[in-house]
Each structure stands twice: as structure tokens, then as C-alpha cells.
Amino acid sequence: MAAEEATHRPPTTPRPPATSRPDVSVVVPVYNTLRYLRPCLDSVLRQTIGPDRMEIVAVDDGSTDGSGRLLDRYAARHPGTIRVVHQSNSGGPASPCNRGLDLATGRYVFFLGSDDRLGPEALERLVAAADRYGSDVVLGKVVGVNGRHVFSDVFADGNAVDVSLFDSALPWSLANTKLFRRDLVDRLGLRFPEDMPVLSDQPFTLAACYHARRISVLADYDYYHAVRRLDARNITYHSRIEQRLVSVERLVAYVAELIPAGERRDAVLRRHAGLELANLVGDDFRHLDRAAQERVHATVARLVRRHVTDRLRDRLDIEARLRLGAVTAGGVDDLLAVIEQDNGRGVPATVFAGDRWHAGYPGAPARWTDVTDVRADWLARLDTVDVSWVDGHTLTVTTRSPYPGFATAAGPIRMLAGPVVGATRMDAGDPTGRTLRTDFALDRLLAASAASGQRHPVRAEVDGGHGRGGAAVRAPRLAARRPRLLRHGARLYGVAATVDQRNGQLVLSVVPVTVGQLVGRLRRRGRRGPVTAQTSGRGPATAQTSGLGAETLLGRHGHLEVGGAAQVQPGPLRRADQPHHHPGAGRAAPDQARGVRVDV
């Protein structure tokens, strides 16, 4: 089968004979990650499993930033542990992963991104679990760093010895950042498809999980720290669209060939339809040129008609269901009309046809817009109309429903930013009962982000006469807001409300910031002017510099970007976990976080 040929082939390079076989080989594909490579390698070298039980196989895929030289220095200092291979740039991670896999000698293999890092006990715990339970695949808890988003539902129920690919959240966690039994990899001849520019780890992981005797999940420790690179130039949706189209089409075809048609295939394709396919026709679609829009539309429509069954359609989240329905309903202009409704005007009105409810999108067919059976999800669709700081401790999100009987029909309502539940109440100033105000406590957001920072998508949940439902909270027309810098414990964080440009969802971003990062970014693009930043939890640690004076923004992916006019104020920094005291005369106003601050 074509999909199997893409991922199953004999090793191209014979593995060297192992006189003392390590328990685990850590394969690290490397391309231009110099800033992050040292902590990545150090995190492996410090593993409690010890150097005698592991090896590191690092493959330099034509780096031009000095990463290859750093690898060579590490290999010279750790000759029995680190092996380095250099090759010409291949254009993607599949080739270096395959090269590292060919050279690995361990009983297990683990793939580690060169900008990520491991918890100190990660490998020891993973190998012990695999040996104890006889697991072919072990997934350890993944946490995001610098606001990187991680699908974490698979870890919600704690440790699980035996997890099914088909009745769990595992399909949403298909990155190759897992421990794989080498015998399974060799028996199946698994390799990464080098004809997929992106998403190439998913066929490898899918095949391993599909054929595994046992898959285990460990949620009792932070095993893998997935780092969002703050120094990377964002590769835009437009520049990668052709790569994404090719890769998504091959990925969906691979799933269809790997898993027979039926509920089990739908359980896996639910992720690919709801994420990869839906993202192709996300809000960014409107920024493509017309020719690219036509190609995307044609590809998505073909894949939906071929692979999305009625049962799968009914299991999709309401956002993905309605957007993919718009694709199958008509042409590019029909899809653009739906996107414009979502992005520019907000949730459409509900259209009633007898006892049936329909989402009032223009042109979409009734079988896709019929939301009767998911009315609770439909009622949970809210638009953000305002985000404001109430004081130094609270961020208030104001949302509104277009449904006239919302207050009665929705029932009790919860608003969540990631795992943090806000305090929600009806806005007394709206006599129609369609406006909500939700207070999110900053100390809870900061605590939920730990030391690594997180992006917390905002979601609404209802539980009324139409049942329980939920939906992402979108933010049409919400203007860009400046973040506020706050200290929690000994750490400084940038906190802001941002909008995910792919899907229009409101996100509360919490990103750790060091004085050096703040000063460096301001210096690179700012104007001259002094600033003082104090970050220590025990006493002031002051950094003064000139060349500052730039507006600091949390960008679309939740990291600090610089540009514009200055709004930075010196002074003692308020800690988010300190009790609030109203200032007296001559002091800052109650809604000001004192110290280095950028207002929302």
C-alpha cells in the first residue's frame, strides 16, 4: 500500500554492533537551534538513568548557525555517550529522524526535539514502566514552555497502564515524543515518510500505536518540556500552505489505509478532520491569494467527501463541523462568507425550521448547519466584546450571545481559560440577558502556568434544558491589547489577551520573561530611554539600559514582540500573589500594577 511504502522500509544504514546495548537511544534531529541546543543536551546528560544505560544520537541536518559545531564539542567531551552525524539539509525532520534511528542501538528509542528538554527522571521512569508493563509505546506527560500549546487531555485521568488508540484522547497526542520499543520498530520496519514536509511524525506514531501490544500513559511527572522558540521567525500559513496540503492529504490517506473503515477509523480521523483539515480553512484562509484558496478548497472538499462519514461529522466539535460544512456547500466565495461572518460579525443568528435549529450561515447545506442535536454546543458559542483589567489581580472578559432566550435556555454557565475556571455572572446592564462578565484571577492563571508559561484558550460550557455543551470563545473585532508584566513568586510574566489567528479563539497568554529578554528585545527595536526592571522575589534586582522605549506586545503565538511607542513605567513591581492594598494619595491608581508595566 502506498502509505505503508512511505513509512515502512528497511534501514538504509546498518546499525553498528552493540557490545553493551543501552536501554534507550535518544535521537535528536538538529537544525539551527543553537540557542536551545545546550539545555536540550544537558537535560539528557543529566538523566538519572545514567550514561551507561543510554546513548544520544544527534543528527545535524545542515545547520548554519553553529549547532553542528556545538554538537561536536559535546561529543568530544562525552565520547561514550554522544554520537554526532552531519548531513546536508533535507528540508524537514523526517530524514534526520530516520538517520538517527538507523544508528540507534538501544532496546528503546526516544525522539527529542533539539529545542525541547527532558525532566531529570524522564528516561528512567519511562524505561521502568515499559519493562514493568510490557509496553511497546509509553507516553510521558508533556508540558508547554514559553506558552507553547500542548494537547493534555490524554493525561487528565492520571497514569494508565493500557490505553486504547480508539477510545481515548491519544489521537490528539500523536507527536513522536514517546518511548518506542525497538523490537516493534524493527518488526514493522517503521520509518518517517520523507515525502511529507510536515506532520511526518504522525504516520510513524500511528503505526506504532496501532500495532502495539500495549500503550501506557504516565501523568505523574513532567517528562517532556516542549519549548516554544522565542527567537524563531514564524513560518506563515501562506508560505507553508503547499507543504501542508501535501502532508495533510498523505496523512489522511495513510490513516484510511492503516485502519479499516468503521468506528475505529472515525475515532482517529476525528482528530485529523477536526484539527488539520479544519485549520486549512481557518481564519487565515482569507489571506491566501485566490489560486491558493482554490487549491485548498478543492483539497479539503475532496478529503471531507471521501473520508468524513455522517458518524464522524456528528462527533466533530461544532466549530470544525460548521467550517467543513461550508467547504462542501459551495465554492470559495461561500467559504469566505462564513469566515467573514465568524471573523467580522460574530456568531450568526439561529434559524428555525419547524422543530429544527440551524446555524444562520449563508449558503451552507442543511445537513451541516443543523445544530438541533448539539443545541447546547451552539448556545455555548459566544463572542468576546471586551477584555479589561479590573485591578492588579483580575482580568475580566465580557462575552455576548446572539440567541434571544440565552439566559433561560443555556442554564448554568462556566467560562474556562485552560484549566482555570472564571467567576461568571450575567451583566446587570444588559436587560436581554445575553451578556456575561467573567473574572479570571491572575494569581490562578499564573499558578496554572507554573514556571513554563502557557496559552490558555477560553471556552464556554453550558448545562441547561438542552443538555451540556461547550464551544471555543471567539473574539471577532477585538483590538490588539498590550500585556501586563507581573511577578509571581520569583518569576516575571507577561500576561495578555490575544486572538489565535488560525481560528479566532480568545487566548489568555502567560509567558515567563527575564529581565535580559525584556531589555534585549526593547534594545533591538526601541528608542533611547532608561528603564528599570525589578524581578527578584527577595529584593530588587535592577537592570538599567538605554536604547529602550518600544511598545511590548504579546504576539499571535503568545511571545513578546516589540514595536511602536513606549508604555513602560519604572518602579517596584507588584507581585500577583500579594494581597491588594488600595493606594493612598499620590500613589498609583487601583487598576495599575506598579513597576515595570505595559497596560492592556
Side-chain angles (χ1 to χ4, degrees):
M1 293 184 294
E4 291 181 338
E5 291 172 359
T7 55
H8 298 209
R9 61 175 176 80
T12 57
T13 305
R15 282 183 289 142
T19 55
S20 178
R21 190 177 189 186
D23 284 328
V24 58
S25 300
V26 181
V27 174
V28 187
V30 179
Y31 178 69
N32 286 355
T33 54
L34 182 61
R35 174 178 174 180
Y36 300 90
L37 185 55
R38 191 183 301 275
C40 170
L41 296 173
D42 287 344
S43 77
V44 186
L45 291 169
R46 293 167 182 162
Q47 289 294 297
T48 58
I49 198 171
D52 294 338
R53 297 179 57 195
M54 71 172 183
E55 67 175 359
I56 304 171
V57 181
V59 181
D60 171 28
D61 194 41
S63 295
T64 58
D65 67 342
S67 294
R69 293 189 295 274
L70 180 62
L71 289 174
D72 289 337
R73 291 198 294 273
Y74 266 78
R77 290 200 294 268
H78 305 276
T81 304
I82 301 180
R83 181 177 185 179
V84 175
V85 178
H86 301 276
Q87 64 180 34
S88 300
N89 181 253
S90 65
S95 174
C97 283
N98 285 336
R99 186 78 180 278
L101 186 57
D102 292 343
L103 299 173
T105 65
R107 294 191 299 121
Y108 298 99
V109 62
F110 189 94
F111 297 93
L112 174 64
S114 59
D115 42 9
D116 299 333
R117 55 184 183 264
L118 297 176
E121 301 174 20
L123 295 179
E124 184 176 20
R125 287 169 173 257
L126 291 167
V127 169
D131 285 342
R132 182 183 308 119
Y133 305 132
S135 308
D136 286 331
V137 180
V138 183
L139 168 60
K141 183 179 178 182
V142 183
V143 294
V145 179
N146 294 338
R148 180 165 170 178
H149 175 68
V150 172
F151 287 104
S152 57
D153 287 356
V154 72
F155 307 113
D157 295 330
N159 290 0
V161 173
D162 205 343
V163 174
S164 169
L165 178 64
F166 307 111
D167 61 3
S168 73
L170 185 59
W172 296 87
S173 299
L174 291 178
N176 63 342
T177 53
K178 300 170 177 63
L179 188 78
F180 298 93
R181 187 179 294 272
R182 184 62 196 239
D183 289 346
L184 174 73
V185 173
D186 288 345
R187 175 168 58 84
L188 299 175
L190 290 180
R191 290 298 184 274
F192 296 81
E194 297 182 17
D195 60 350
M196 286 179 61
V198 295
L199 306 174
S200 60
D201 55 342
Q202 291 198 32
F204 181 97
T205 306
L206 271 169
C209 290
Y210 182 70
H211 292 286
R213 295 170 300 173
R214 173 170 286 169
I215 307 166
S216 298
V217 170
L218 303 180
D220 57 346
Y221 180 75
D222 290 348
Y223 290 81
Y224 194 102
H225 299 259
V227 179
R228 179 177 292 281
R229 292 175 59 184
L230 302 184
D231 64 341
R233 292 189 178 95
N234 293 326
I235 301 176
T236 66
Y237 170 81
H238 185 278
S239 66
R240 295 185 64 176
I241 191 60
E242 296 298 338
Q243 293 183 350
R244 291 179 64 193
L245 280 178
V246 168
S247 298
V248 169
E249 189 159 20
R250 289 175 179 166
L251 175 59
V252 173
Y254 181 79
V255 175
E257 293 189 29
L258 178 70
I259 307 171
E263 292 188 19
R264 299 207 306 171
R265 180 196 287 179
D266 285 351
V268 174
L269 283 180
R270 180 184 178 189
R271 173 251 163 83
H272 301 302
L275 187 62
E276 280 86 11
L277 282 180
N279 280 348
L280 284 171
V281 290
D283 287 6
D284 276 350
F285 177 86
R286 68 192 192 280
H287 298 308
L288 298 174
D289 61 58
R290 185 67 181 201
Q293 289 176 342
E294 295 284 359
R295 289 194 297 275
V296 171
H297 184 279
T299 299
V300 173
R302 182 174 65 253
L303 292 175
V304 170
R305 293 188 179 107
R306 183 177 301 170
H307 298 290
V308 178
T309 64
D310 290 348
R311 176 179 53 240
L312 172 55
R313 178 197 66 210
D314 293 342
R315 294 187 64 196
L316 292 175
D317 288 345
I318 196 166
E319 299 282 347
R321 175 179 176 174
L322 292 170
R323 194 60 65 90
L324 294 179
V327 175
T328 61
V332 169
D333 289 335
D334 299 303
L335 173 60
L336 288 172
V338 171
I339 294 175
E340 174 57 28
Q341 173 72 52
D342 281 341
N343 186 264
R345 294 186 290 275
V347 180
T350 304
V351 177
F352 301 95
D355 61 350
R356 309 301 294 180
W357 288 26
H358 292 268
Y361 286 102
R367 68 182 183 277
W368 283 89
T369 62
D370 190 326
V371 295
T372 307
D373 296 334
V374 288
R375 281 176 289 192
D377 292 335
W378 178 244
L379 287 171
R381 293 198 73 198
L382 304 172
D383 290 325
T384 305
V385 295
D386 186 51
V387 177
S388 60
W389 296 94
V390 175
D391 52 35
H393 301 272
T394 306
L395 185 64
T396 298
V397 176
T398 304
T399 54
R400 185 171 297 145
S401 168
Y403 187 72
F406 176 75
T408 303
I413 303 160
R414 291 202 317 165
M415 297 282 286
L416 302 94
V420 179
V421 180
T424 300
R425 63 196 181 280
M426 289 290 179
D427 188 341
D430 180 3
T432 69
R434 296 184 293 119
T435 303
L436 303 173
R437 293 176 64 84
T438 303
D439 295 334
F440 289 101
L442 290 178
D443 57 347
R444 295 190 64 192
L445 283 171
L446 291 167
S449 304
S452 59
Q454 288 289 339
R455 298 172 71 247
H456 300 293
V458 179
R459 180 176 177 83
E461 294 182 351
V462 302
D463 187 7
H466 297 295
R468 294 183 179 181
V473 173
R474 292 179 58 90
R477 304 182 306 279
L478 186 68
R481 305 298 178 96
R482 301 180 188 128
R484 180 163 291 185
L485 274 74
L486 297 172
R487 189 170 64 200
H488 183 73
R491 297 295 303 271
L492 180 67
Y493 294 86
V495 182
T498 62
V499 180
D500 190 321
Q501 297 301 312
R502 297 168 303 171
N503 56 26
Q505 185 172 8
L506 179 68
V507 177
L508 303 187
S509 294
V510 180
V511 180
V513 182
T514 66
V515 173
Q517 288 171 337
L518 179 62
V519 169
R521 288 181 181 277
L522 294 174
R523 178 186 289 128
R524 281 194 293 271
R525 294 182 58 181
R527 299 185 180 91
R528 292 188 176 276
V531 67
T532 302
Q534 300 179 353
T535 62
S536 170
R538 297 184 177 180
T542 302
Q544 293 185 333
T545 185
S546 60
L548 305 181
E551 172 186 335
T552 304
L553 297 175
L554 275 177
R556 58 178 283 187
H557 295 300
H559 58 268
L560 286 171
E561 295 176 347
V562 179
Q567 293 281 345
V568 181
Q569 301 177 357
L573 190 69
R574 182 193 300 279
R575 286 177 49 168
D577 54 354
Q578 286 178 337
H580 179 65
H581 299 286
H582 288 285
R587 299 175 65 183
D591 64 343
Q592 291 180 341
R594 303 175 61 207
V596 177
R597 189 194 83 185
V598 184
D599 289 326
V600 171

